[in-house]
Amino acid sequence: MEYSRPKIVLSRCLNIEPVRYNGGIVNDDFSKKLLNYVDYVAVCPEVDIGMSVPRPSVLLYKKDDQIRMIEPNSMKDYTEEILKFSEEFLNSIGEVDGFLLKAKSPSCGVKDTKLYQENLKGLINGKSNGLFTQKVVEKFFYLPVEDEGRLNDYWIKRDFLTKIFSYARLRHLKNSYMDINDLIRFHQKHKYLLMLYDPYNLKQMGNLIANWKNYGLNESVSRYVNLFYISLSERSNLNKHLNVIQHIYGHFSDKLSESERKHLLRMIEKFKDGKLYLESVLEYIKSFIYRFNDNYLGSQAYLNPFPEELI
């Protein structure tokens, strides 16, 4: 299967340049592998506002209702500079499909940056997004925003990959559709993937396509794109995957022998109990797709949402 290349924003210290506060670089295996499959815009907000490499470390603290960034040795406050840069940078990058940022960073951390009290002596119970990340989630609230640490979790990584490659395909559709058939084919290909994230919106999108003449082609595509982003802003989980797998099983179960049905149902039960990887179940399902030459199922993005080498 061919994959559209996602365009992501990537922290520059992740395998690209030694720009960390200590002059180091983060050697992260997954980020390095991902670079072969995506186009990226690199960013280091701290360096991009003129901070040196190496540099004194900065931290976040809460003053009244605002989170601010300060270098505690000199007491220099970088809040306005970081926020101004973030606004300008995010307004300049055009369409992107997601963000992969540096864990625990005062500028780029995702939900895991230490947050200090106003006196800088004690931590506040709970952690924060970095200042740059705060602006990212405000402007691109519908896109996946993760750091390299969170992607050690299987389900978070799988969601992130599914979303950035799905959004890349959506971006290609939005920029190249010629007629309603392009939208119909895209929707058919993503039926089970949309079922995974938002079954309600799946029905809404089907109704939109069925009544596209009421809106015209361009407006229908625009509405569809918005619904697609809203749908995939949800999280997947084991039970949601289980629901989709059971629907796919129902699509061809009458063609299976009794022993094949029993074996597949046992595999599904093991997956439900956390004793079998999702990929193992999907690979077994694919064997029947090839056997029955089922082009409809074979085209489903749910079964091949991203290059398998990445998981």
Side-chain angles (χ1 to χ4, degrees):
M1 177 175 287
E2 294 184 2
Y3 297 93
S4 299
R5 287 178 70 89
K7 178 183 175 183
I8 68 170
V9 175
L10 184 68
S11 282
R12 196 178 299 148
C13 61
L14 296 176
N15 303 295
I16 298 175
E17 292 181 39
V19 292
R20 295 205 70 203
Y21 73 96
N22 59 2
I25 191 170
V26 179
N27 292 304
D28 178 70
D29 290 341
F30 173 74
S31 304
K32 186 179 297 184
K33 185 183 294 184
L34 186 63
L35 293 179
N36 297 318
Y37 297 89
V38 303
D39 299 320
Y40 66 87
V41 181
V43 64
C44 177
E46 294 165 30
V47 171
D48 290 335
I49 66 168
M51 297 175 72
S52 63
V53 180
R55 57 187 174 276
S57 60
V58 293
L59 54 80
L60 300 184
Y61 74 99
K62 192 167 186 179
K63 182 177 182 180
D64 299 324
D65 290 329
Q66 187 183 26
I67 295 175
R68 304 190 64 83
M69 178 186 288
I70 196 167
E71 194 272 285
N73 292 329
S74 67
M75 297 301 289
K76 178 173 174 55
D77 190 300
Y78 288 97
T79 308
E80 275 67 38
E81 289 177 75
I82 286 285
L83 293 179
K84 181 176 183 292
F85 165 79
S86 300
E87 291 272 6
E88 293 174 350
F89 175 85
L90 295 174
N91 287 333
S92 73
I93 56 176
E95 291 184 298
V96 295
D97 304 308
F99 293 76
L100 177 50
L101 305 174
K102 176 68 190 79
K104 302 180 181 180
S105 161
S107 55
C108 293
V110 181
K111 302 178 183 178
D112 64 355
T113 301
K114 291 179 179 179
L115 183 60
Y116 287 81
Q117 298 172 356
E118 186 173 352
N119 62 14
L120 307 183
K121 293 182 179 179
L123 289 169
I124 290 176
N125 186 22
K127 295 187 178 181
S128 171
N129 288 326
L131 285 193
F132 175 76
T133 305
Q134 288 180 31
K135 288 297 181 181
V136 169
V137 297
E138 288 175 14
K139 183 176 179 62
F140 295 97
F141 58 90
Y142 51 88
L143 292 182
V145 181
E146 298 294 353
D147 63 45
E148 88 287 3
R150 284 171 52 83
L151 293 184
N152 288 318
D153 180 285
Y154 168 81
W155 290 111
I156 292 177
K157 178 188 289 186
R158 205 175 202 288
D159 254 11
F160 178 78
L161 290 171
T162 297
K163 290 176 181 180
I164 64 172
F165 280 90
S166 297
Y167 289 153
R169 292 189 294 270
L170 183 71
R171 188 163 43 83
H172 177 76
L173 169 76
K174 184 170 58 173
N175 295 330
S176 65
Y177 69 90
M178 300 296 292
D179 55 43
I180 191 61
N181 291 317
D182 291 327
L183 182 57
I184 291 171
R185 283 190 291 269
F186 183 91
H187 184 66
Q188 289 175 338
K189 180 176 181 177
H190 291 83
K191 175 185 173 182
Y192 287 111
L193 191 142
L194 288 163
M195 182 185 294
L196 171 70
Y197 286 102
D198 196 327
Y200 175 78
N201 270 351
L202 171 62
K203 293 179 181 179
Q204 299 297 105
M205 295 159 91
N207 290 334
L208 172 64
I209 292 173
N211 297 286
W212 72 273
K213 290 183 180 178
N214 294 338
Y215 309 102
L217 179 60
N218 292 341
E219 178 64 18
S220 295
V221 172
S222 178
R223 292 186 179 207
Y224 183 93
V225 167
N226 288 337
L227 283 170
F228 195 95
Y229 277 123
I230 291 170
S231 299
L232 265 67
S233 67
E234 300 293 330
R235 288 279 187 192
S236 73
N237 56 42
L238 188 149
N239 287 330
K240 289 183 176 182
H241 279 282
L242 188 63
N243 176 58
V244 175
I245 289 169
Q246 288 169 336
H247 275 83
I248 293 175
Y249 166 72
H251 183 82
F252 60 76
S253 60
D254 59 340
K255 299 178 182 179
L256 302 181
S257 68
E258 183 178 355
S259 60
E260 288 170 331
R261 280 196 297 271
K262 287 182 178 179
H263 181 61
L264 180 51
L265 289 173
R266 279 196 300 269
M267 292 184 72
I268 293 173
E269 195 64 26
K270 286 183 178 180
F271 168 66
K272 179 180 178 181
D273 294 338
K275 298 177 181 178
L276 195 65
Y277 284 116
L278 174 61
E279 273 67 35
S280 299
V281 181
L282 297 184
E283 284 302 313
Y284 190 59
I285 287 173
K286 289 177 192 177
S287 70
F288 294 114
I289 294 173
Y290 303 140
R291 176 175 148 193
F292 302 133
N293 196 27
D294 192 321
N295 293 326
Y296 173 70
L297 282 183
S299 70
Q300 288 299 308
Y302 172 78
L303 294 168
N304 295 284
F306 49 79
E308 62 182 9
E309 297 84 359
L310 289 173
I311 200 69

